[in-house]
Amino acid sequence: MAIPSTPGLRVAIMTDEIGWHTRQLQRALRERGGVGRCIDLADCDIDTDAAWHGLVLPGYGRELPDAVIVRGVAGGSFEQVTKRLGVLHALQALGVPVYNDARAIERSVDKSMTSLLLRAARLPAPPTWATESLAQARRIVMRESAAGHAVVMKPLFGSQGKGLRLIGQVDGVFQPLADFAPGDGRLAYLQRFVPPIGASGQPGHDWRVLVIGGRAVAAMRRVSAHWVHNVAQGARCEPAELTPALARLAEAAAAALQMDYAGVDLMPAAGRETIQVLEVNGVAAWRGLQKVTPFNIARALVDDLIDRKLATSLAARCDRQPAPVAAPARRA
């Protein structure tokens, strides 16, 4: 059921940064008759005495938004992040469509959970390990190195290619795993390195595929001389054909994490026929992808939120409403 126009629709855009992406979403919402208000989840509180729903959302008083788009969740202490995700869980439980919802955010932000779900769905991905034991982590690196593999050590919670380290067998030289740094939280998340593939003498690449509402809609090649291919780390965006193979794999990865929309990172694998899934991003940026995509991505996201997610929510509410009680028959 598509909703042609949504006059008065109020959408909370949960974000810790206001910029290009939020402006794009606000414009797309205005084109559908709605209004997008940017809110930092850090500024949202729980007050069970303030309103019937127990939440305090800046700009909404005692009311709730009609829908929520999650654009960013700021890092913080375990308690802070738990409270912020708790607000999203509460909104969903109160019947407010959340895009992506808290469970999807949790599945994608926690890279170890992403790896487990991809494995459970039998999707091709590099072997991955997560351990709190430094000795075990070093054994994994030694074993992989003996087999000729390098290993990428990633922050369990991280994005945009920040904090990645290449260890093990790197260009014929063994790079050992150092002691856990304080910022690592005494945890090693390790993934077998998939060397980038490029034409002879050319930089390697990977693919970013955008999935919206269960369907792959756009793709690009991220090209870089460095082994990290994130746009934020200087990779070049190039148009890419959205082949059936790329689309099927990206859609399956998004489905495995039960996501409304996702940026799926895929890597060609040398010596294998199967493309590898590297990451699934639940709060995916799309500025680079927009440069090589003919349609407006923010509008596609807003259309999916309104025409699918919000419409489904409205239909579910109608189904839950009790049937009207028939008036008693009047006696003659």
Side-chain angles (χ1 to χ4, degrees):
M1 177 179 67
I3 303 175
S5 63
T6 52
L9 180 73
R10 300 167 308 154
V11 178
I13 303 173
M14 299 299 189
T15 180
D16 57 323
E17 293 182 359
I18 297 176
W20 183 86
H21 288 89
T22 54
R23 290 193 296 271
Q24 289 282 305
L25 289 170
Q26 287 175 318
R27 179 180 177 182
L29 285 164
R30 286 195 301 270
E31 291 173 352
R32 291 295 303 266
V35 176
R37 178 188 292 274
C38 292
I39 300 176
D40 192 335
L41 278 165
D43 297 328
C44 298
D45 294 327
I46 294 171
D47 184 344
T48 59
D49 197 38
W52 66 270
H53 46 71
L55 296 175
V56 178
L57 307 181
Y60 286 95
R62 295 176 63 85
E63 299 181 346
L64 292 174
D66 299 305
V68 170
I69 298 174
V70 181
R71 183 54 236 145
V73 181
S77 68
F78 179 77
E79 289 84 0
Q80 288 172 322
V81 174
T82 298
K83 188 272 292 183
R84 294 165 193 172
L85 290 172
V87 170
L88 296 180
H89 279 296
L91 286 164
Q92 185 82 11
L94 290 164
V96 179
V98 181
Y99 190 95
N100 282 306
D101 66 28
R103 288 294 296 124
I105 298 295
E106 290 165 351
R107 295 181 191 105
S108 61
V109 169
D110 178 356
K111 292 186 178 66
S112 63
M113 178 56 66
T114 298
S115 298
L116 285 171
L117 292 171
L118 293 175
R119 176 69 174 178
R122 307 236 188 278
L123 297 177
T128 304
W129 306 266
T131 178
E132 298 181 43
S133 166
L134 178 60
Q136 176 64 10
R138 284 177 168 159
R139 283 193 289 270
I140 292 167
V141 173
M142 290 294 292
R143 185 176 68 239
E144 287 292 295
S145 181
H149 301 302
V151 176
V152 182
M153 184 169 182
K154 302 181 180 183
L156 190 67
F157 307 124
S159 62
Q160 299 185 330
K162 298 176 183 176
L164 274 60
R165 285 178 274 169
L166 197 58
I167 54 180
Q169 196 68 22
V170 182
D171 296 327
V173 178
F174 179 72
Q175 302 290 340
L177 171 65
D179 290 345
F180 291 147
D184 292 333
R186 294 208 59 83
L187 176 80
Y189 174 81
L190 306 169
Q191 190 172 69
R192 181 178 293 169
F193 178 57
V194 181
I197 299 174
S200 178
Q202 298 299 314
H205 74 276
D206 69 1
W207 293 282
R208 162 62 64 86
V209 178
L210 181 64
V211 178
I212 299 178
R215 186 170 66 89
V217 297
M220 69 174 175
R221 281 166 36 109
R222 302 186 300 186
V223 182
S224 175
H226 194 269
W227 60 273
V228 179
H229 292 114
N230 296 78
V231 175
Q233 302 302 319
R236 183 175 75 252
C237 303
E238 294 182 351
E241 179 188 1
L242 184 55
T243 64
L246 290 177
R248 281 195 301 269
L249 190 52
E251 290 168 0
L257 273 67
Q258 300 178 38
M259 311 189 78
D260 292 312
Y261 76 99
V264 184
D265 297 340
L266 304 173
M267 192 79 169
R272 297 187 179 187
E273 297 180 359
T274 305
I275 300 166
Q276 302 285 292
V277 182
L278 292 185
E279 291 190 11
V280 185
N281 302 278
V283 190
W286 67 86
R287 192 167 188 171
L289 182 59
Q290 184 65 81
K291 295 176 181 178
V292 295
T293 301
F295 62 88
N296 186 279
I297 292 173
R299 180 61 190 264
L301 291 166
V302 167
D303 285 347
D304 184 55
L305 166 66
I306 294 173
D307 296 335
R308 180 186 60 83
K309 187 99 173 177
L310 187 58
T312 301
S313 176
L314 291 173
R317 289 182 203 172
C318 291
D319 290 341
R320 287 196 298 267
Q321 289 181 353
V325 179
R330 298 177 63 183
R331 293 185 179 180

